[in-house]
Amino acid sequence: ERRIDKFINTLSEALKIDNKIIFMNFGTFEVKETKERDIVDPKDSTNIINAKPKKYIKFKVSRLLEENLCLM
């Protein structure tokens, strides 16, 4: 559990410095950002909410790992 926490903390710090981290034969972590947009409130369709841009982490599995896991 400590190793996983340490990995996640290290990954978080690295993503703050550089927006893309590549692990050969495993995959790529990349920081992306949503665009600012207007959305409709599901409770009240007349209410429009302005959704601010938000950062999120995208993970793309490497081709080799995908083939080994038979995901293709």
Side-chain angles (χ1 to χ4, degrees):
E1 188 176 320
R2 289 182 187 170
R3 289 182 183 178
I4 292 172
D5 289 339
K6 188 172 182 178
F7 172 75
I8 290 172
N9 290 336
T10 304
L11 184 65
S12 298
E13 292 300 318
L15 285 171
K16 287 178 186 176
I17 296 168
D18 188 16
N19 286 340
K20 190 174 194 178
I21 306 234
I22 300 170
F23 291 100
M24 298 302 291
N25 300 325
F26 181 70
T28 303
F29 291 93
E30 187 173 9
V31 176
K32 296 281 195 171
E33 189 171 354
T34 61
K35 296 179 182 178
E36 185 173 338
R37 63 191 195 282
D38 293 329
I39 57 175
V40 178
D41 185 355
K43 293 181 181 177
D44 180 13
S45 61
T46 61
N47 189 14
I48 305 293
I49 301 170
N50 184 2
K52 295 184 178 358
K54 182 178 177 183
K55 290 184 179 182
Y56 63 97
I57 298 174
K58 178 182 175 188
F59 177 73
K60 184 172 190 279
V61 179
S62 75
R63 186 172 290 144
L64 180 64
L65 182 61
E66 195 171 39
E67 289 172 359
N68 287 339
L69 295 175
C70 301
L71 297 175
M72 293 183 89

